[in-house]
């Protein structure tokens, strides 16, 4: 952004020791939008004072966050928001410069490797066995328990890059690939777990009136691809002493899935309350 007299003056007030002055300056700088980021980056490079550098970093973060909130809000208002796009938006919270094109190209390679092995005569279980073989054996995807000490395991592009993620992120990856392959595998609302259900191909999520459990052929653990039967899930409900009501078998919408991802990600930032607050703002944008 061309540095006007006003911008020049604002940039040189960033190091003002008066917090009230800095707050006013900060609000004004953020109002310029992302176009002012190169000016801030140039100032950071030429500022030896660490405290001022931290202020500049927070300003850059605020500008990226403001832009991200707009992107998440627009995605949430789409008639049919895509799970993959929502997950990639959340990646931009921690990695604002991440390239969507590079991620989608890698996903396309993964999709193609699976598609080449599929045909119209395979049973649902045979389809899943092929997906599992490509993901967990060929790509060596490794699922881990949710660990709030490692936020990278929540970000889809990091999962694709490292082939390592938790149940939520690997589940989003698995479901997104299935969507690209026209296979009806969706996250399911089972309490205290993030698992996937293989739904009948003709199951209409938006207009279904019957018990969704009757439309699920089997369940999948996205951390390993392990298949669970209805009896396995019924046993789980008995173990946690929760009645298996139909709502628990209902697919999670893309918005609710990304909201859950965001809520869980926020738990990684206990030492940074402002990040928890920002992620809570993003999650609130996804309320149905």
């Amino acid at each position: 952004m061309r540095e006007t007299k006003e911008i020049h003056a604002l940039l040189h007030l960033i190091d003002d020791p008066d917090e009230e002055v800095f707050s006013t300056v900060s609000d004004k700088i953020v109002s310029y939008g992302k176009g002012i980021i190169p000016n801030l980056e140039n100032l950071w490079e030429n500022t030896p004072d660490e405290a001022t550098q931290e202020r500049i970093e927070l300003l850059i973060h605020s500008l990226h966050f403001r832009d991200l909130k707009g992107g998440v809000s627009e995605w949430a208002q789409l008639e049919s928001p895509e799970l993959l796009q929502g997950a990639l938006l959340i990646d931009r919270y921690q990695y604002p410069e991440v390239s969507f094109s590079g991620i989608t190209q890698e996903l396309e390679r993964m999709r193609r490797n699976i598609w080449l092995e599929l045909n119209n005569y395979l049973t649902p279980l045979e389809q899943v066995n092929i997906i599992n073989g490509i993901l967990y054996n060929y790509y060596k995807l490794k699922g881990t328990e949710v660990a709030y000490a490692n936020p990278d395991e929540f970000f889809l592009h990091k999962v694709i890059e490292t082939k390592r993620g938790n149940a939520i992120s690997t589940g989003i990856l698995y479901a997104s690939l299935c969507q690209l392959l026209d296979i009806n595998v969706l996250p399911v609302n089972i309490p205290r777990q993030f698992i996937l259900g293989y739904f009948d191909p003709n199951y209409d999520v938006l207009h279904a009136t019957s018990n969704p459990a009757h439309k699920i052929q089997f369940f999948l653990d996205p951390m390993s691809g392990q298949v669970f039967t209805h009896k396995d899930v019924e046993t789980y409900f008995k173990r946690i002493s929760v009645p298996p009501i139909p709502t628990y078998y209902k697919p999670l919408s893309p918005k609710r899935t990304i909201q859950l991802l965001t809520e869980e990600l926020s738990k990684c930032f206990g030492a940074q309350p402002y990040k928890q607050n920002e992620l809570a703002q993003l999650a609130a944008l996804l309320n149905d």
Side-chain angles (χ1 to χ4, degrees):
M1 181 176 287
R2 188 173 65 84
E3 190 165 307
T4 63
K5 287 183 179 179
E6 182 182 45
I7 291 174
H8 180 81
L10 288 168
L11 294 177
H12 284 80
L13 283 171
I14 288 175
D15 61 356
D16 194 295
D18 188 323
E19 287 294 333
E20 193 171 329
V21 170
F22 173 66
S23 178
T24 302
V25 168
S26 176
D27 289 344
K28 185 64 178 176
I29 288 173
V30 170
S31 73
Y32 277 93
K34 286 180 67 178
I36 202 171
I37 287 177
N39 305 66
L40 290 166
E41 290 174 336
N42 181 61
L43 180 62
W44 186 95
E45 290 171 1
N46 293 284
T47 300
D49 181 64
E50 288 187 10
T52 304
Q53 284 184 331
E54 286 181 11
R55 281 184 167 185
I56 296 169
E57 288 165 8
L58 281 173
L59 281 168
I60 292 172
H61 175 79
S62 295
L63 285 158
H64 282 305
F65 180 65
R66 181 188 186 204
D67 188 63
L68 177 60
K69 280 180 71 177
V72 170
S73 180
E74 287 178 16
W75 178 82
Q77 291 170 32
L78 294 173
E79 186 174 342
S80 301
E82 288 187 0
L83 183 60
L84 173 60
Q85 187 73 16
L88 294 179
L89 279 170
I90 299 305
D91 281 20
R92 284 194 165 167
Y93 177 74
Q94 192 79 340
Y95 296 95
E97 305 298 339
V98 66
S99 166
F100 281 6
S101 61
I103 301 165
T104 51
Q105 285 172 15
E106 181 60 22
L107 272 172
E108 173 56 24
R109 280 191 286 269
M110 297 171 83
R111 182 206 69 83
R112 183 169 175 79
N113 281 335
I114 296 168
W115 176 78
L116 288 170
E117 301 291 328
L118 296 174
N119 65 62
N120 293 331
Y121 303 103
L122 297 174
T123 66
L125 195 55
E126 288 169 337
Q127 290 178 337
V128 163
N129 285 337
I130 287 172
I131 296 171
N132 290 349
I134 298 292
L135 282 184
Y136 304 106
N137 297 331
Y138 179 74
Y139 281 107
K140 308 296 183 187
L141 179 66
K142 181 176 175 57
T144 64
E145 295 296 327
V146 172
Y148 300 118
N150 191 358
D152 275 357
E153 292 184 359
F154 286 89
F155 297 118
L156 189 61
H157 81 283
K158 284 293 183 181
V159 175
I160 293 170
E161 179 184 306
T162 65
K163 305 301 184 288
R164 180 183 175 92
N166 56 44
I168 302 172
S169 56
T170 56
I172 289 172
L173 173 60
Y174 200 115
S176 296
L177 282 167
C178 285
Q179 186 175 33
L180 294 171
L181 293 160
D182 291 323
I183 295 173
N184 210 18
V185 170
L186 304 166
V188 185
N189 194 32
I190 301 292
R192 307 177 207 170
Q193 298 289 333
F194 192 91
I195 65 171
L196 307 171
Y198 190 112
F199 285 80
D200 290 346
N202 58 355
Y203 178 71
D204 185 342
V205 176
L206 296 177
H207 304 103
T209 55
S210 60
N211 184 345
H214 300 154
K215 298 296 182 179
I216 300 175
Q217 299 197 19
F218 51 81
F219 303 86
L220 292 158
D221 178 358
M223 293 199 294
S224 63
Q226 181 179 352
V227 172
F228 296 119
T229 65
H230 277 268
K231 189 167 184 62
D232 293 327
V233 173
E234 289 164 11
T235 301
Y236 168 74
F237 275 114
K238 288 177 183 176
R239 192 168 74 246
I240 64 172
S241 301
V242 172
I245 57 177
T247 302
Y248 290 144
Y249 293 95
K250 188 177 180 182
L252 292 174
S253 70
K255 282 171 62 175
R256 176 57 191 140
T257 303
I258 299 304
Q259 186 177 55
L260 177 63
L261 172 73
T262 307
E263 290 166 349
E264 290 297 301
L265 173 63
S266 73
K267 297 175 184 178
C268 297
F269 299 106
Q272 296 171 287
Y274 79 93
K275 287 194 171 185
Q276 288 193 318
N277 177 264
E278 288 174 343
L279 288 162
Q281 290 180 50
L282 293 180
L285 293 172
L286 300 169
N287 288 329
D288 284 321

